[in-house]
Amino acid sequence: MSEVVLRIDAEPAQQARLTTVLFQDLRATGLVKVAKAREEAPADAKAGAGADVAELIINGVFSAGTVTAVTKIVVAYLERTKARSVTWIDGKKKVVFTGIARDDQKALAEALAGAEEDGTPES
């Protein structure tokens, strides 16, 4: 099982709402487990004051089909919200989504899944 972090870049006043929207979109698919990231509360903070950050953690088996589905969800999310971008962080691999053309979604999904190019042109 793999873990990926999705970091949402949005206006600070909108971060919590936009993070929740993407969280709900991903959870509705049932393809991956998704959780909101939590950051440690400062030492002088009141109990239970851990702050939500604009990150989601997704876990699951990231087959090419799953990555393609998640890619489509992220692109659709960017198209309908005012989020600036979503960054996919998978270990040392980082990809920034800024609302890509549908023609490029399959190639991006294959790259994220680690698929090898076979030299065959896409149709």
Side-chain angles (χ1 to χ4, degrees):
M1 187 133 78
S2 297
E3 180 177 289
V4 170
V5 175
L6 297 178
R7 184 171 296 145
I8 294 92
D9 182 16
E11 293 295 325
Q14 299 294 316
Q15 280 186 339
R17 183 183 67 78
L18 292 176
T19 301
T20 298
V21 169
L22 184 55
F23 170 82
Q24 291 170 341
D25 290 352
L26 290 166
R27 191 173 72 174
T29 68
L31 294 173
V32 292
K33 292 181 181 180
V34 60
K36 292 181 181 179
R38 303 283 289 175
E39 68 180 17
E40 293 297 317
D44 60 347
K46 295 181 182 180
D52 285 324
V53 294
E55 288 184 347
L56 298 174
I57 299 170
I58 57 175
N59 293 295
V61 177
F62 292 103
S63 66
T66 301
V67 172
T68 298
V70 171
T71 299
K72 288 180 180 182
I73 291 166
V74 170
V75 171
Y77 161 83
L78 286 168
E79 288 175 353
R80 73 176 197 281
T81 67
K82 294 186 186 267
R84 292 183 201 126
S85 66
V86 173
T87 303
W88 171 292
I89 305 166
D90 181 4
K92 293 181 180 179
K93 189 185 316 182
K94 252 184 174 178
V95 177
V96 179
F97 292 81
T98 56
I100 61 173
R102 295 203 185 275
D103 294 341
D104 297 329
Q105 288 180 26
K106 183 176 180 186
L108 177 59
E110 289 172 353
L112 290 172
E116 296 179 10
E117 289 189 52
D118 61 0
T120 307
E122 296 291 323
S123 50

